């Protein structure tokens, strides 16, 4: 018997009876070629990585073969896009192949993205060019390495066919893994149709799959909603703490399981400026860096709205009582966010405890950074170096960024604060290195990897970048190039979604 056996699927979403999806086989492609597989993730999902790298595994990632036990389907959803309501969306260029139980006991979706038309494709071709596949692979794996809840890259393949956008581009299919793909927009779809039965079925499913502790609460749907609020609050705090700009925070791009999804026009901020926007289609700056937490709050209000018909389970429930419950829960979001954010700020500043005055200390640093046009990532990393100067033998980070005299009063205040906060410099620095990474997926590096792959079929830049970003806090001077901000001529100011 060969070691290379196909994975064992268990498709709970496909077993749901109700109007949640359409059965949909992926389209075949002319000539699948392997770009990369994520061996560690495959093994974690109980997928034999030899099988995944075999002709059958590659054909499965390309959509040319549906592995035994998979039940491919396209899910339906709706959503608010840039604030405007769109009642009919869905997996227009993706199919869910099936679910796998990981070594951690958690159930995961394996989805193919760019696998052809579905009933929800509207005018689109259901395909993906290579560029967005490369971008998503790099970004989501970098986020995972940074400890941010995210969908993951299981692998990526080229298709051997051209995809037509403004020009002909090589096509690719991305294998995406998520704890599930159920979105705020999924709930909105059924709420808009007043299909309370579907809302209830989906909520029961979500509680079972993601929020089992909510099942024991007096009001399980409310308990689930509060847990969704908490997860999003933590997620947004993490995004803000590393300068991640999602770029397209539509309600259909917010997963109820709490993972980051949709790496279309996203990018990491370099120079600190809260108004930073990268998305080429975000003309009003709705999804600017500084707006992200309040946009998350807004999206969750839409979720509360969608859940209203099933939110009050008491015998005396009325529309007003449900609204009151929703309002109270949604009002807790800013505080949940603040708590999560302050917990990370403390790590970024190297403090064992967050005190009230630390907020002002942190804001003062941000103001300095903004005034000095400092690189967000390098500034915090340099601060981490200062936490234990005796241990710092290499000066490389300092060559890339150093605090100028405008920061001197702030640094004095910070050092003063450290005196009150008793912990060893080595311990403090370790804490700060973790919270203040040195390698982030800088846009010009992502662009370089895309260009080489797209124009020459050269994946070496992509592979190298993925490998470096897998250890975001581990600096060594030979990797200096990957820590550097873009030079003016390298700066990418706009990113595009894959459509
Ligand atoms: P996104 O901007 O990626 O969140 O996608 C928004 C909607 O457009 C989703 O319903 C997608 O499935 C759909 N979509 C995006 N690109 C394509 C495409 N190339 N073909 C068909 N549908 C697409
Ligand atoms: Mg999307």
């Amino acid at each position: 018997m060969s070691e290379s056996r196909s994975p064992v699927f268990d498709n709970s979403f496909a077993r749901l009876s109700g109007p949640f999806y359409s059965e949909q086989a992926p389209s075949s492609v002319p000539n699948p070629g392997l770009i990369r597989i994520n061996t560690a993730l495959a093994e974690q999902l109980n997928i034999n990585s030899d099988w995944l790298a075999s002709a059958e595994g590659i054909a499965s990632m390309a959509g040319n073969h549906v592995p035994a036990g998979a039940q491919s389907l396209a899910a339906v959803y709706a959503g608010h896009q840039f604030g405007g309501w769109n009642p009919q969306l869905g997996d227009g260029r993706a199919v869910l192949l099936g679910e796998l139980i990981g070594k951690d006991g958690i159930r995961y979706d394996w989805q193919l993205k760019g696998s052809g038309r579905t009933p929800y494709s509207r005018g689109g071709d259901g395909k993906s060019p290579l560029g967005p596949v490369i971008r998503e692979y790099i970004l989501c794996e970098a986020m995972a390495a940074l400890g941010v809840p995210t969908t993951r890259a299981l692998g990526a393949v080229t298709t051997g066919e051209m995809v037509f956008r403004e020009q002909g581009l090589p096509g690719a299919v991305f294998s995406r893994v998520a704890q599930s793909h159920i979105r705020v927009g999924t709930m909105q779809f059924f709420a808009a149709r007043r299909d309370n039965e579907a809302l209830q079925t989906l909520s029961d499913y979500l509680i079972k799959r993601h929020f089992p502790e909510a099942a024991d609460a007096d009001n399980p749907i409310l308990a689930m909603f509060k847990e969704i609020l908490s997860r999003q609050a933590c997620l947004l705090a993490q995004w803000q703490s590393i300068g991640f700009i999602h770029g397209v925070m539509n309600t259909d791009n917010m997963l109820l399981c709490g993972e980051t999804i949709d790496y279309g026009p996203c990018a990491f901020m370099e120079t600190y400026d809260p108004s930073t926007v990268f998305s080429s289609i975000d003309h009003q700056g709705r999804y600017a860096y500084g707006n992200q937490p309040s946009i998350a709050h807004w999206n969750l209000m839409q979720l509360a709205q969608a859940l209203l018909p099933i939110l009050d389970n008491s015998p005396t429930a009325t529309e007003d009582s449900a609204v009151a419950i929703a309002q109270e829960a949604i009002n807790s979001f800013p505080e949940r966010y603040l708590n999560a954010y302050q917990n990370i700020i403390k790590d970024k500043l190297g403090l064992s405890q967050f005190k009230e005055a630390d907020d002002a200390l942190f804001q003062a640093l941000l103001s300095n950074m903004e005034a000095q046009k400092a690189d967000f990532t390098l500034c915090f990393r340099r601060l981490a170096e200062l936490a234990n100067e005796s241990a710092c033998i290499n000066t490389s980070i300092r060559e890339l960024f150093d605090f100028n005299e405008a920061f001197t009063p702030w640094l004095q205040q910070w050092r003063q604060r450290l005196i009150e906060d008793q912990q060893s410099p080595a311990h403090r620095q370790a804490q700060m290195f973790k919270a203040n990474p040195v390698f982030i997926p800088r846009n010009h590096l992502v662009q370089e990897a895309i260009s080489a792959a797209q124009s020459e079929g050269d994946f070496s830049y992509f592979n190298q970048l993925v490998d470096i970003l897998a250890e975001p806090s581990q600096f060594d001077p030979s990797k200096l190039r990957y820590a550097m901000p873009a030079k003016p001529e390298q700066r990418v100011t706009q990113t595009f979604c894959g459509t």
Side-chain angles (χ1 to χ4, degrees):
M1 273 292 280
S2 137
E3 269 290 326
S4 312
R5 57 210 182 279
S6 64
V8 178
F9 288 91
D10 179 58
N11 308 314
S12 64
F13 191 73
R15 285 196 291 271
L16 282 181
S17 58
F20 304 111
Y21 61 84
S22 307
E23 285 175 25
Q24 177 65 55
S27 301
S28 289
V29 303
N31 188 20
L34 183 62
I35 299 173
R36 184 173 174 123
I37 60 166
N38 188 339
T39 309
L41 181 62
E43 297 293 339
Q44 195 194 314
L45 295 175
N46 288 310
I47 300 175
N48 184 305
S49 54
D50 291 334
W51 173 81
L52 194 60
S54 73
E56 191 177 297
I58 294 169
S60 303
M61 287 193 282
N64 286 10
H65 172 74
V66 177
Q71 271 172 289
S72 68
L73 60 86
V76 68
Y77 50 86
H80 279 94
Q81 301 180 306
F82 292 92
W85 172 243
N86 191 332
Q88 178 67 60
L89 292 163
D91 293 332
R93 57 170 156 172
V95 294
L96 173 63
L97 214 48
E99 296 158 29
L100 303 156
I101 311 294
K103 292 211 157 64
D104 51 9
I106 296 175
R107 178 181 292 277
Y108 292 92
D109 283 1
W110 176 2
Q111 195 195 58
L112 302 184
K113 190 171 168 190
S115 55
R117 288 183 55 79
T118 77
Y120 315 113
S121 297
R122 298 174 291 167
D125 60 2
K127 310 266 180 186
S128 177
L130 176 60
V133 168
I134 294 274
R135 169 178 288 276
E136 179 156 356
Y137 199 122
I138 295 168
L139 267 290
C140 76
E141 286 307 299
M143 291 284 270
L146 288 163
V148 183
T150 177
T151 59
R152 302 287 307 270
L154 177 62
V157 294
T158 50
T159 59
E161 71 181 359
M162 296 299 268
V163 174
F164 295 93
R165 295 295 179 260
E166 265 128 45
Q167 47 178 324
L169 295 165
V173 182
F174 182 70
S175 275
R176 178 160 70 188
V177 169
Q179 289 203 21
S180 85
H181 282 85
I182 301 172
R183 305 145 193 266
V184 171
T186 314
M187 289 299 188
Q188 288 183 288
F189 179 86
F190 297 104
R193 300 183 157 214
R194 312 220 179 286
D195 188 345
N196 295 352
E197 197 184 325
L199 278 180
Q200 187 68 52
T201 305
L202 213 48
S203 298
D204 292 344
Y205 177 80
L206 281 162
I207 288 171
K208 209 164 160 210
R209 185 163 175 181
H210 300 302
F211 313 102
E213 52 308 320
D216 302 325
D218 291 340
N219 184 340
I221 308 275
L222 177 61
M224 170 182 81
F225 181 56
K226 286 183 175 169
E227 181 58 24
I228 291 171
L229 290 173
S230 279
R231 290 190 192 182
Q232 288 296 332
C234 292
L235 185 67
L236 267 289
Q238 285 189 283
W239 288 5
Q240 297 308 98
S241 81
I242 51 174
F244 175 74
I245 304 174
H246 184 281
V248 59
M249 287 180 71
N250 297 335
T251 58
D252 53 303
N253 290 332
M254 186 180 261
L255 290 185
L256 300 183
C257 68
E259 292 179 340
T260 310
I261 189 169
D262 201 319
Y263 291 89
C266 63
F268 276 68
M269 177 171 62
E270 295 203 295
T271 307
Y272 177 72
D273 176 358
S275 69
T276 309
V277 172
F278 287 103
S279 169
S280 62
I281 50 174
D282 189 0
H283 303 298
Q284 260 108 55
R286 177 181 171 90
Y287 299 143
Y289 169 77
N291 289 351
Q292 294 189 125
S294 49
I295 290 290
H297 191 191
W298 189 88
N299 287 351
L300 292 161
M301 269 181 231
Q302 308 315 309
L303 176 62
Q305 183 76 34
L307 291 175
L308 276 183
I310 56 168
L311 199 54
D312 187 354
N313 63 350
S314 71
T316 55
T318 61
E319 214 176 297
D320 285 350
S321 66
V323 169
I325 290 174
Q327 198 65 54
E328 195 190 336
I330 195 73
N331 287 349
S332 70
F333 182 79
E335 198 181 329
R336 287 173 200 265
Y337 170 75
L338 204 63
N339 288 338
Y341 186 58
Q342 290 178 343
N343 200 36
I344 304 179
I345 289 176
K346 128 186 130 15
D347 290 342
K348 287 186 86 70
L349 292 177
L351 302 171
S352 58
Q353 255 188 6
F354 184 88
K355 295 195 173 157
E356 218 169 293
D358 295 334
D359 196 38
L361 184 69
F362 191 74
Q363 293 308 323
L365 175 59
L366 293 180
S367 302
N368 273 323
M369 284 172 65
E370 191 172 1
Q372 300 304 311
K373 301 194 189 319
D375 183 88
F376 185 74
T377 304
L378 290 174
C379 182
F380 280 111
R381 181 62 183 209
R382 177 75 189 129
L383 194 66
E385 305 267 342
L386 295 182
N388 185 14
E389 279 173 286
S390 61
C392 284
I393 31 165
N394 78 64
T395 54
S396 298
I397 300 287
R398 191 176 186 172
E399 278 165 33
L400 295 183
F401 176 85
D402 203 4
F403 292 104
N404 62 26
E405 59 282 8
F407 286 94
T408 307
W410 187 86
L411 286 169
Q412 273 166 357
Q413 269 184 297
W414 176 64
R415 289 201 165 97
Q416 201 58 42
R417 172 69 179 92
L418 296 189
I419 294 169
E420 295 166 36
D421 187 87
Q422 301 229 329
Q423 55 176 329
S424 76
H427 185 270
R428 171 172 289 131
Q429 189 168 53
Q431 171 195 5
M432 290 181 78
F433 277 163
K434 236 176 127 203
N436 299 325
V438 64
F439 299 119
I440 51 158
R442 292 183 185 270
N443 231 332
H444 64 288
L445 298 172
V446 176
Q447 207 50 55
E448 177 184 74
I450 292 173
S451 301
Q454 208 166 252
S455 55
E456 286 142 58
D458 175 1
F459 292 100
S460 62
Y461 289 88
F462 160 72
N463 283 318
Q464 217 156 11
L465 190 54
V466 172
D467 291 341
I468 298 247
L469 294 170
E471 288 188 305
S473 286
Q474 295 280 350
F475 183 70
D476 97 54
S478 70
K479 301 177 189 165
L480 195 66
R481 170 177 132 68
Y482 294 94
M484 264 185 221
K487 301 194 178 84
E489 69 276 14
Q490 293 173 314
R491 281 189 64 209
V492 180
T493 52
Q494 290 203 327
T495 55
F496 301 87
C497 43
T499 43

